[in-house]
Amino acid sequence: MAYFPFIADIENMDCLLVGGGNIALHKAEILTEYNANIHIVAISVCEGLEKLAAGNKRIDIKKQAFKDSDINGMDFVIVAAGSKELGLYISKICKAQKIPVNVTDIKEACSFIFPAIIHKEPVLAAISTGGASPALAADIKKSIKNVIPDYYKELAVNLADARKYIIENTDNAIIRKQVFEKLVLYGKEHNGKIPEQVIKMFIKELAGNIPASGI
């Protein structure tokens, strides 16, 4: 199975999380960063999940056994219940209704993979081994995280601000590409900062270097 790495906006989406232990807690903690609505179903839940739900209005808990109707209206489902039989069953009914489903530790039951994530808003990197080894994905995450400077957050925001100005003030695709490339290098050399005059300078510098055929 080949997994395609969609980067999706899950804000306000409804997620069913089946399970109440530490693995479920870990999944819930990650999802809260992206403002998903988390509906937890488990016969019992750990203290950490109780505390997390108490402090977040997007989380609700039903202390009961899973019922088929629990998947109704859900945008995606995560199963962290520790039961292979239950995981395979929930996967089957979710796939029948074309609801994306992830079952921890059962690769063949997953229609999407929960990756190892590096998030420095708005920069996000997701690492996956296609379910082969979550431990390896976590190890790769540690290696990559150490080479992504904290200033990339400011750099990404400044590049987004610059993008609108550049598009409004250049009608040449080649110039735009070169300006963006130069701004990335400038931002990396100046801890993410990109003054407006630098943007104007690069546009002016490059404007005379591209023939009309490049438009």
Side-chain angles (χ1 to χ4, degrees):
M1 183 182 293
Y3 293 96
F4 185 83
F6 284 108
I7 303 296
D9 179 4
I10 64 171
E11 184 170 7
N12 295 320
M13 282 191 176
D14 290 295
C15 169
L16 174 66
L17 176 57
V18 182
N22 288 329
I23 295 177
L25 171 61
H26 177 64
K27 304 296 187 185
E29 287 174 335
I30 294 173
L31 290 171
T32 55
E33 297 182 26
Y34 303 90
N35 294 325
N37 301 317
I38 306 168
H39 309 282
I40 299 170
V41 171
I43 294 175
S44 63
V45 299
C46 65
E47 183 180 352
L49 271 175
E50 293 275 17
K51 289 182 178 179
L52 188 66
N56 192 317
K57 64 181 181 180
R58 290 183 178 271
I59 302 175
D60 61 74
I61 298 175
K62 291 182 180 179
K63 293 183 180 180
Q64 62 184 41
F66 171 80
K67 299 183 297 184
D68 289 13
S69 59
D70 289 332
I71 71 171
N72 294 343
M74 295 297 118
D75 295 299
F76 61 103
V77 174
I78 297 172
V79 185
S83 167
K84 183 175 182 179
E85 182 180 3
L86 179 60
L88 291 173
Y89 176 74
I90 295 175
S91 172
K92 180 180 178 179
I93 64 174
C94 284
K95 289 178 179 179
Q97 294 194 34
K98 301 188 182 303
I99 300 173
V101 59
N102 174 274
V103 182
T104 58
D105 296 328
I106 310 179
K107 178 183 176 181
E108 64 271 21
C110 300
S111 60
F112 75 93
I113 294 294
F114 212 100
I117 299 170
I118 301 169
H119 193 199
K120 297 183 179 181
E121 177 72 27
V123 177
L124 183 148
I127 302 98
S128 173
T129 58
S133 175
L136 178 57
D139 185 71
I140 295 171
K141 171 184 173 179
K142 291 179 182 178
S143 299
I144 294 176
K145 190 173 183 178
N146 291 333
V147 298
I148 300 180
D150 289 337
Y151 69 75
Y152 266 36
K153 175 177 180 178
E154 181 178 359
L155 175 57
V157 171
N158 287 333
L159 286 169
D161 291 340
R163 183 180 180 84
K164 181 179 179 181
Y165 180 87
I166 293 168
I167 290 174
E168 290 176 348
N169 288 275
T170 61
D171 58 2
N172 186 299
I174 295 176
I175 290 178
R176 288 177 183 171
K177 181 176 183 294
Q178 292 183 347
V179 170
F180 287 132
E181 289 172 347
K182 290 176 75 70
L183 288 177
V184 169
L185 291 175
Y186 181 93
K188 290 171 67 176
E189 293 171 353
H190 295 82
N191 293 320
K193 294 177 174 54
I194 303 177
E196 184 178 335
Q197 60 266 31
V198 170
I199 303 171
K200 294 178 178 178
M201 178 185 70
F202 286 154
I203 292 175
K204 183 177 180 180
E205 176 185 309
L206 293 166
N209 296 333
I210 304 299
S213 60
I215 299 177

